[in-house]
């Protein structure tokens, strides 16, 4: 953020899109709650982009400054992403003004309103310079305005549209029967939800789903989009394998690695089914966990970040599914038709091992993961 923009902001009084804070304490729990609450309120308020300027007295606007060693961008990003639902896109700038350090949190209008705190489920909004809970009519209005809510179309701030793979994009539109050229591509990318143009700012970035499906270099922005294979059984293959890239390419490469690791008679197709489901249904807003596959003699497990939704009856498939936007794109792009198979994936996994032992499904709310545990390879060697 340049000095001119800072000077313009500091001339404004606090309001629904601007908040001054002398300091925030992101070490203690109360400070984390207060920050998430204020960010949520500004994001839910009308008017586009909002700001929290830290290091300024809120009443006098006197420049106090902050100790930048006590204020880490990674901590702030983690607090917001883990406590707000849907996730709120923010960025943080550290600037020097009048010889003192300031932190400026920019809160973007990502088209995902209304946001709520995960901890208590409350929705907040700004009333003038104060934060308050949303009233019933305000919440209804916000829900109506943003009814088509997709986490996958959340913009990833600072992402570059040059990271998109035009070959994958062109294949998708071709398979959908849509004629795209250099003149109309920009409009289709926005309308499809692959890219996002922030209102009033003409700032185009890539969405979460756009990066996951259409970018082979998405690890720059989404390092948690990773599959870790831990191989404890085959000395001819690496012990730890990291796979990153666009989702279909990741699935292809994982299947190739698993074919090398497992003995020929092991029902590896069932493990591939679990990996496919993990790629499709994992919670991509959990940025501190990756999909993990552990291949051992006694058990084989596939662990996916994000517990099931409405999962009281797993065996009866009584649960909701995430990432339907991604599902639509993968169906159109996957030449192997892995995402169009009829029947239930969990049932197919169990049937593959009916002669060898039980397949366990562990839905952990405490750990926020879904785990599939297969029999190990000891009975197949």
């Amino acid at each position: 953020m340049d000095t001119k923009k800072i000077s313009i902001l500091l001339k404004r009084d606090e309001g629904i899109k601007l908040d001054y804070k002398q300091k925030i304490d992101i070490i203690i729990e109360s400070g984390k709650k207060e920050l998430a609450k204020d960010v949520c309120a500004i994001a839910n308020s009308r008017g586009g982009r909002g700001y929290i300027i830290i290091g300024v007295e809120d009443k006098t606007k006197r420049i106090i400054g902050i100790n930048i060693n006590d204020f880490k961008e990674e901590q702030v990003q983690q607090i917001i992403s883990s406590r707000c639902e849907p996730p709120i896109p923010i960025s943080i700038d550290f600037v020097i003004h009048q010889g003192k350090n300031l932190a400026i949190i920019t809160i973007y209008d990502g088209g995902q309103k209304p946001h709520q705190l995960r901890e208590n489920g409350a929705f907040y909004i700004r009333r003038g310079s104060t934060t308050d809970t949303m009233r019933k009519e305000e919440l209804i209005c916000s829900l109506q305005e943003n009814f088509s809510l997709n986490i996958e179309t959340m913009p990833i701030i600072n992402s570059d549209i040059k990271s998109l793979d035009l070959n994958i994009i062109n294949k998708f539109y071709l398979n959908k029967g849509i004629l795209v050229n250099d003149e109309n591509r920009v409009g289709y990318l926005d309308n499809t939800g692959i890219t996002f143009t922030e209102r009033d700012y003409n700032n185009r970035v890539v969405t979460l789903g756009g990066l996951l499906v259409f970018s082979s270099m998405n690890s720059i922005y989404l390092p948690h989009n990773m599959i870790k294979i831990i191989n404890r059984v085959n000395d001819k293959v690496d012990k730890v394998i990291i796979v990153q890239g666009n989702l279909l390419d990741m699935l292809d490469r994982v299947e190739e690695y698993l074919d090398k690791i497992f003995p020929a008679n092991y029902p590896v197709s069932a493990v591939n089914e679990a990996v496919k489901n993990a790629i499709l249904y994992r919670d991509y807003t959990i940025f501190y966990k990756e999909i993990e596959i552990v291949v051992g003699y006694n058990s084989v497990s596939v662990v996916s970040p994000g517990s099931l939704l409405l999962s009281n009856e797993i065996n009866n498939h009584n649960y909701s599914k995430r990432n339907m936007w991604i599902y639509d794109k993968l169906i159109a792009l996957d030449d192997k038709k892995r995402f169009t198979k009829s029947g239930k994936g969990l049932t197919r996994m169990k049937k593959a091992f009916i002669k060898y032992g039980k397949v366990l499904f562990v839905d952990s709310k405490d750990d926020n993961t879904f785990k599939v545990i297969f029999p190990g390879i000891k009975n197949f060697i």
Side-chain angles (χ1 to χ4, degrees), residues 66-84:
I66 63 168
N67 183 349
I68 58 175
N69 293 324
D70 297 333
F71 195 95
K72 303 297 183 184
E73 178 176 357
E74 294 81 5
Q75 289 176 292
V76 175
Q77 292 280 5
Q78 181 178 359
I79 290 168
I80 302 307
S81 63
S82 63
R83 293 171 182 260
C84 299

Side-chain angles (χ1 to χ4, degrees), residues 242-272:
I242 301 297
V243 180
Q244 293 180 293
N246 71 71
L247 297 186
L248 272 183
D249 183 57
M250 290 172 68
L251 181 56
D252 288 338
R253 285 188 286 142
V254 167
E255 289 181 353
E256 291 174 4
Y257 280 121
L258 295 184
D259 281 340
K260 295 177 182 178
I261 294 173
F262 283 101
N265 58 340
Y266 191 91
V268 69
S269 61
V271 181
N272 289 336

Side-chain angles (χ1 to χ4, degrees), residues 335-372:
D335 294 330
K336 298 178 182 179
K337 305 301 180 185
R338 287 165 290 192
F339 295 90
T340 59
K341 290 182 180 179
S342 60
K344 304 296 185 181
L346 303 187
T347 300
R348 285 197 293 271
M349 293 180 216
K350 290 192 292 185
K351 285 184 176 180
F353 284 88
I354 197 165
K355 297 179 181 179
Y356 309 107
K358 291 185 177 181
V359 177
L360 303 178
F361 305 107
V362 182
D363 184 42
S364 174
K365 300 300 182 184
D366 292 334
D367 194 41
N368 202 9
T369 59
F370 182 73
K371 181 185 295 186
V372 183

Side-chain angles (χ1 to χ4, degrees), residues 36-51:
K37 179 179 173 181
D38 289 336
V39 170
C40 186
I42 291 175
N44 281 335
S45 300
R46 292 178 180 271
R49 194 178 295 185
Y51 304 91

Side-chain angles (χ1 to χ4, degrees), residues 231-241 256-263 297 377:
N231 164 31
R232 297 174 177 168
V233 299
N234 192 330
D235 293 334
K236 297 180 180 180
V237 184
D238 292 341
K239 296 299 182 183
V240 178
I241 302 167
E256 291 174 4
Y257 280 121
L258 295 184
D259 281 340
K260 295 177 182 178
I261 294 173
F262 283 101
Y297 287 100
I377 73 163

Side-chain angles (χ1 to χ4, degrees), residues 101-324:
N101 293 307
L102 301 178
I104 301 176
I105 301 176
T106 302
I107 301 148
Y108 297 89
D109 183 358
Q112 300 288 320
K113 300 175 186 178
H115 303 274
Q116 66 183 140
L117 293 191
R118 288 176 173 171
E119 181 183 25
N120 59 7
F123 296 85
Y124 294 97
I125 199 169
R126 294 277 287 185
R127 302 193 194 285
S129 61
T130 61
T131 293
D132 193 11
T133 53
M134 295 181 75
R135 296 167 182 157
K136 178 181 177 180
E137 59 271 18
E138 291 171 330
L139 182 57
I140 292 173
C141 182
S142 183
L143 287 167
Q144 289 174 338
E145 289 178 353
N146 301 276
F147 190 70
S148 56
L149 183 64
N150 280 317
I151 296 298
E152 301 99 300
T153 57
M154 177 186 73
I156 302 301
I157 304 306
N158 297 326
S159 60
D160 191 336
I161 61 172
K162 294 179 182 178
S163 65
L164 292 172
D165 189 325
L166 285 181
N167 291 325
I168 304 176
I169 289 172
N170 290 337
K171 178 181 178 180
F172 167 71
Y173 286 123
L174 179 64
N175 290 348
K176 283 286 191 177
I178 301 173
L179 182 62
V180 175
N181 52 47
D182 292 339
E183 294 181 357
N184 64 16
R185 184 178 288 109
V186 171
Y188 273 116
L189 289 174
D190 274 3
N191 291 337
T192 311
I194 297 172
T195 58
F196 178 87
T197 302
E198 190 184 0
R199 302 168 192 172
D200 305 325
Y201 284 90
N202 197 31
N203 179 36
R204 294 186 69 242
V205 296
V206 188
T207 63
L208 173 64
L211 287 170
L212 290 170
V213 178
F214 298 99
S215 174
S216 297
M217 51 186 294
N218 56 47
S219 59
I220 298 173
Y221 312 105
L222 307 172
H224 64 293
N225 178 40
M226 174 195 303
I227 299 177
K228 180 190 292 184
I229 304 174
I230 300 175
N231 164 31
R232 297 174 177 168
V233 299
N234 192 330
D235 293 334
K236 297 180 180 180
V237 184
D238 292 341
K239 296 299 182 183
V240 178
I241 302 167
I242 301 297
V243 180
Q244 293 180 293
N246 71 71
L247 297 186
L248 272 183
D249 183 57
M250 290 172 68
L251 181 56
D252 288 338
R253 285 188 286 142
V254 167
E255 289 181 353
E256 291 174 4
Y257 280 121
L258 295 184
D259 281 340
K260 295 177 182 178
I261 294 173
F262 283 101
N265 58 340
Y266 191 91
V268 69
S269 61
V271 181
N272 289 336
E273 181 77 29
V275 175
K276 181 197 74 175
N277 285 352
I279 286 175
L280 179 57
Y281 299 130
R282 71 153 288 180
D283 186 344
Y284 284 100
T285 69
I286 301 176
F287 68 93
Y288 51 88
K289 291 182 180 179
E290 66 278 346
I291 296 170
E292 186 176 78
I293 306 167
V294 182
V295 183
Y297 287 100
N298 295 316
S299 67
V300 174
S301 62
V302 178
V303 185
S304 176
S307 57
L308 294 186
L309 305 176
L310 303 180
S311 57
N312 293 328
E313 299 177 54
I314 296 176
N315 292 330
N316 293 328
H317 310 282
N318 184 25
Y319 54 89
S320 300
K321 296 178 179 179
R322 295 185 183 91
N323 308 328
M324 289 298 99

